[in-house]
């Protein structure tokens, strides 16, 4: 491990300044992802700026919703009564992620900013454009089981690993960012980017930008929401595919909805084509599957990840019919969701 | 309380205070040291085990300020002033008299909830943390109703405990008896003592 300078500022402005002034500086919070990357040589910062003692630890009522401090632990957010009641997709996504130990360690902002688990990104002996721009992509023609099927580029086929990011996108959450030039607010739909020719940039954040909070708005869809995750084992595994679904029903028909997919792209994939098709419709296996197929029209698969379209379609049917049933709406008979 | 000061050649300037199992330590660490390596290599606290060293196995689990925590994924410098409890310190924290095991430790003995024993200190700390989370009413991935109390009837409790213990691997595969032990410790009756033959099926 390369050695580094460790600093622990007491306020947000000092933390932002410390990173902004030093191209080799990085923020560290819980460290569950970054400390592993230090060991693996994936990350080699010259300075670590500890942001765990900046007072960003509160979950507070905010404009009819909640404001969640960046340093709130995943376990505390999942256990919060208002999150469980009004944003169940967020609680479900947190509880589907990592292990009991890591949920105590990992923070809200750190979860959103964790790096891909693409096996080549984490293996410094292999080329990877995301880790070392210009070096090549080992995943495109290599082990491709986890590769993206939507929005990938010739330089990167990695997927974003966060469950929480998928659920926060479905409840219209907004990230509060403090940068060298001041504070700004970034909707979750705009935080993460597609790889294009800059796969090294996971998000739109600039060097020195610090996420200080995540705001959960008073959303008409969030109350009837869920998160469904398909993975290789029953617990403690990253998603093969996942679905965050949130619905506002008018009787049996959809007034509004959000459907966001995880495990399929470089960012949480808001399924806007699917949503457009389902507004005003009943939620049946047929309508949902047809809408999912429309969303998947541009999906690109290889031999190793050809299972993903069918899996994400099935997961979406499962999630949405389950919500409809919970709301007492008529749905297709015989689907065990 | 006694205070220990690290004096080995690795001393490179980061001065920390760590309280481990009720005992305060002063130690100088290299900035790159994990909490795990600091405990084992500098403070001689070998109760805490290094398995994968990448957060995948749970062998290095301790209670950090009362919550279960992986010491391998933690930089020691980030935890100056922390209070840690390892499996070794659990006996003293509950009950009273010297030699009294924590109920989770006693249940692991009674149920033969290990084979080689390497993962056991981490399993025990994780179980103590998991039962505390259950007591506080925290839901898990397998909890059906996020707003109701966690269902602790027999079948559900098995699923709840399996899910909540998924961060601790046992390569000997003692899971059947680990589950029985944690249920015992949770104060829930199970179907009599598990024999080795039963567990092997």
């Amino acid at each position: 491990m390369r050695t580094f300078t460790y600093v622990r500022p007491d306020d947000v402005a000092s933390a932002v300044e410390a990173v902004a002034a030093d191209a080799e500086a990085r923020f560290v919070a819980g460290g569950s992802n970054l400390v592993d990357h230090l060991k693996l040589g994936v990350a080699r910062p010259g300075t670590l700026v500890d942001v765990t003692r900046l007072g960003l630890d509160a979950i507070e009522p905010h404009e009819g919703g909640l404001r969640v401090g960046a340093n709130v632990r995943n376990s505390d957010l999942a256990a919060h009564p208002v999150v469980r009641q009004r944003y169940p997709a967020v609680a479900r996504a947190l509880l589907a992620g990592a292990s009991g130990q890591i949920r105590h360690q990992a923070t809200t902002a750190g979860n959103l900013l964790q790096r891909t688990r693409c096996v080549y990104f984490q293996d410094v002996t292999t080329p990877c454009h995301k880790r070392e721009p210009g070096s090549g992509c080992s995943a495109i023609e290599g082990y491709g089981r986890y590769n993206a099927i939507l929005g990938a580029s010739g330089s990167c086929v990695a997927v974003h690993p966060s469950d929480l990011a998928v659920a926060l996108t479905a409840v219209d959450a907004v990230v509060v960012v403090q940068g060298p030039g001041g504070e700004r607010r970034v909707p979750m739909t705009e935080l993460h980017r597609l790889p294009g020719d800059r796969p090294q940039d996971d998000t739109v954040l600039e060097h020195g930008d610090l996420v200080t909070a995540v705001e959960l708005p008073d959303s008409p869809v969030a109350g009837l929401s869920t998160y469904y995750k398909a993975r290789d084992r029953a617990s403690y595994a990253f998603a093969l595919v996942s679905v965050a679904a949130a619905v506002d029903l008018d009787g049996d028909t959809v007034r509004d909805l959000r459907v966001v997919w995880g495990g399929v792209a470089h960012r949480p994939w808001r399924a806007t084509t699917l949503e457009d098709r389902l507004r005003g419709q009943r939620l049946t296996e047929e309508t949902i599957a047809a809408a999912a197929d429309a969303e998947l029209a541009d999906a690109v698969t290889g031999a190793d990840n050809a299972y993903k379209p069918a899996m994400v379609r099935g997961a979406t049917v499962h999630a949405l019919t389950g919500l409809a049933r919970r709301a007492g709406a008529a749905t297709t008979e015989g689907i065990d969701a | 309380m006694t205070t220990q000061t690290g004096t080995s050649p690795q001393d490179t300037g980061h001065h920390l205070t760590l309280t481990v199992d009720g005992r305060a330590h002063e130690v100088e660490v290299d900035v790159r040291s994990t909490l795990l390596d600091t405990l084992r290599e500098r403070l001689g606290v070998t109760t805490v085990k290094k398995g994968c060293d990448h957060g995948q196995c749970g062998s290095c689990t301790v209670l950090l300020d009362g919550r279960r925590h992986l010491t391998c994924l933690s930089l020691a410098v980030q935890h100056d002033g922390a209070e840690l409890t390892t499996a070794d310190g659990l006996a003293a924290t509950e009950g009273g008299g010297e030699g009294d095991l924590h109920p989770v430790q006693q249940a692991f003995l009674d149920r033969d909830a290990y084979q080689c024993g390497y993962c056991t200190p981490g399993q025990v700390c994780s179980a103590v943390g998991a039962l505390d989370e259950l007591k506080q009413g925290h839901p898990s991935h397998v909890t059906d109703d996020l707003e109701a109390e966690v269902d602790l009837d027999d079948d559900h409790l098995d699923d709840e405990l399996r899910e909540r213990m998924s961060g601790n691997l046992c390569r000997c595969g003692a899971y059947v008896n680990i589950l029985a032990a944690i249920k015992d410790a949770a104060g829930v009756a199970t179907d009599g003592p598990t024999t080795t033959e039963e567990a092997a099926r």
Side-chain angles (χ1 to χ4, degrees), chain A residues 1 16 56 59 129 259 307:
Chain A
M1 192 188 299
V16 168
L56 306 173
I59 304 174
H129 282 310
V259 174
Y307 70 92

Side-chain angles (χ1 to χ4, degrees), chain B residues 110-172:
Chain B
D110 294 344
R111 289 287 185 169
D112 197 20
Y114 39 73
Q115 184 175 315
C116 80
Y118 194 80
C119 73
T120 308
Q123 297 275 3
V124 167
C125 286
S126 189
V128 170
L131 291 176
D132 184 54
E133 292 152 24
L134 256 184
K135 197 184 294 181
Q136 292 180 51
H138 293 182
S140 84
H141 173 63
V142 300
T143 306
D144 286 333
D145 185 344
L146 290 177
E147 294 179 61
E149 286 190 18
V150 180
D151 187 349
L152 296 183
D153 73 35
D154 207 46
D155 288 344
H156 274 95
L157 185 60
D158 282 3
D159 289 343
E160 286 284 354
L161 293 176
R162 284 193 188 99
E163 161 61 26
R164 288 163 194 261
M165 290 297 292
S166 69
N168 290 80
L169 302 185
C170 169
R171 293 297 76 174
C172 299

Side-chain angles (χ1 to χ4, degrees), chain A residues 9-309:
Chain A
D10 297 325
D11 61 85
V12 169
S14 307
V16 168
E17 191 183 327
V19 170
D22 178 354
E24 296 207 340
R26 291 274 305 272
F27 295 115
V28 62
S32 55
N33 192 206
L34 182 55
V35 172
D36 198 32
H37 284 170
L38 297 177
K39 293 181 185 185
L40 294 169
V42 171
R44 296 170 48 79
T47 299
L48 282 185
V49 178
D50 187 342
V51 292
T52 57
R53 305 194 197 187
L54 302 179
L56 306 173
D57 305 297
I59 304 174
E60 299 165 320
H62 177 77
E63 295 181 357
L66 288 178
R67 181 183 165 100
V68 180
N71 198 46
V72 169
R73 305 293 153 153
N74 288 177
S75 54
D76 290 328
L77 187 57
H80 194 278
V82 176
V83 176
R84 287 154 68 176
Q85 183 194 5
R86 293 183 52 198
Y87 305 94
V90 174
R92 290 274 177 215
L94 287 161
L95 294 170
S99 67
Q101 289 95 319
I102 290 178
R103 288 192 291 272
H104 282 315
Q105 181 173 353
T107 65
T108 304
N111 186 308
L112 302 182
L113 300 178
Q114 64 180 303
R115 310 298 309 272
T116 185
R117 274 14 181 235
C118 177
V119 292
Y120 301 104
F121 176 74
Q122 299 184 102
D123 178 355
V124 296
T125 67
T126 63
C128 169
H129 282 310
K130 182 183 279 296
R131 176 170 28 80
E132 195 179 338
S135 64
C137 175
S138 306
I140 290 176
E141 293 183 25
Y143 181 76
R145 191 153 175 273
Y146 306 118
N147 288 0
I149 59 171
L150 291 166
S153 73
S155 63
C156 186
V157 290
V159 299
H160 198 268
S162 168
D163 298 298
L164 176 62
V166 177
L168 287 178
T169 306
V171 301
D172 301 333
V174 175
V175 171
V176 183
V177 179
Q178 181 75 40
E183 186 178 275
R184 67 187 194 280
R185 298 161 84 252
V186 181
M188 274 301 299
T189 46
E190 295 170 22
L191 178 66
H192 297 93
R193 25 182 326 278
L194 292 177
D197 59 3
R198 286 189 295 119
Q200 65 272 28
D201 295 332
D202 295 351
T203 70
V204 299
L205 300 183
E206 304 283 341
H207 188 72
D209 279 345
L210 177 68
V211 174
T212 55
V214 176
E215 294 173 353
L216 310 188
D218 181 14
S219 157
V221 294
L224 187 63
S225 70
T226 194
Y227 185 75
Y228 182 73
K229 179 176 179 179
R231 44 185 164 173
D232 276 331
R233 52 187 187 191
S235 185
Y236 200 17
F238 287 95
L240 297 171
V241 304
S242 69
V243 178
V247 188
D248 180 22
L249 286 173
D250 179 8
D252 291 344
T253 61
V254 174
R255 187 183 291 127
D256 199 7
L257 82 166
R258 305 282 183 276
V259 174
V260 186
W261 289 343
V264 299
H266 195 261
R267 69 180 188 207
W269 188 267
R270 173 94 184 263
T272 51
T273 301
L274 176 151
E275 291 175 10
D276 289 344
R277 293 235 175 175
L278 286 176
R279 282 193 190 87
Q281 301 290 311
R282 286 178 57 213
L283 292 175
T284 69
E285 181 171 358
E286 292 73 24
T287 59
I288 300 164
D293 284 339
E295 185 70 44
L296 289 161
D298 295 330
V300 176
T301 61
D304 291 351
N305 65 355
Y307 70 92
K308 281 195 176 184

Side-chain angles (χ1 to χ4, degrees), chain A residues 305-328:
Chain A
N305 65 355
Y307 70 92
K308 281 195 176 184
M311 186 178 275
V312 78
R313 181 196 307 116
T316 305
V317 170
H318 180 93
L320 283 172
T321 54
L323 290 176
R325 217 184 330 278
R326 203 194 306 165

Side-chain angles (χ1 to χ4, degrees), chain B residues 16-187:
Chain B
L16 309 179
T17 304
L18 294 171
T19 302
V20 183
D21 297 333
R23 188 172 175 194
H25 299 262
E26 307 266 334
V27 61
E28 302 277 330
V29 297
D30 184 289
V31 70
R32 295 166 289 186
S33 306
T34 61
L35 208 42
L36 173 60
D37 287 341
T38 302
L39 288 167
R40 287 185 60 86
E41 308 296 335
R42 303 300 310 287
L43 301 180
V45 180
T46 54
T47 320
V48 184
K49 304 303 184 201
K50 182 182 279 193
C52 70
D53 206 28
H54 290 281
Q56 296 169 2
C57 77
S59 292
C60 68
T61 303
V62 301
L63 298 173
L64 171 68
D65 299 327
R67 295 166 163 223
R68 50 189 174 150
H69 189 97
L70 298 180
T71 53
C72 77
L73 289 184
S74 306
L75 292 172
V77 287
Q78 286 196 274
H79 295 283
D80 186 19
E83 291 202 15
L84 309 172
T85 303
T86 73
D88 194 26
L90 284 170
T93 62
E94 186 124 347
E98 206 161 295
D100 283 351
L101 293 180
H102 186 283
V104 171
Q105 294 173 317
Q106 187 62 52
F108 268 64
L109 282 176
D110 294 344
R111 289 287 185 169
D112 197 20
Y114 39 73
Q115 184 175 315
C116 80
Y118 194 80
C119 73
T120 308
Q123 297 275 3
V124 167
C125 286
S126 189
V128 170
L131 291 176
D132 184 54
E133 292 152 24
L134 256 184
K135 197 184 294 181
Q136 292 180 51
H138 293 182
S140 84
H141 173 63
V142 300
T143 306
D144 286 333
D145 185 344
L146 290 177
E147 294 179 61
E149 286 190 18
V150 180
D151 187 349
L152 296 183
D153 73 35
D154 207 46
D155 288 344
H156 274 95
L157 185 60
D158 282 3
D159 289 343
E160 286 284 354
L161 293 176
R162 284 193 188 99
E163 161 61 26
R164 288 163 194 261
M165 290 297 292
S166 69
N168 290 80
L169 302 185
C170 169
R171 293 297 76 174
C172 299
Y175 297 111
V176 173
N177 290 1
I178 291 171
L179 180 63
I182 301 173
K183 284 179 80 170
D184 281 359

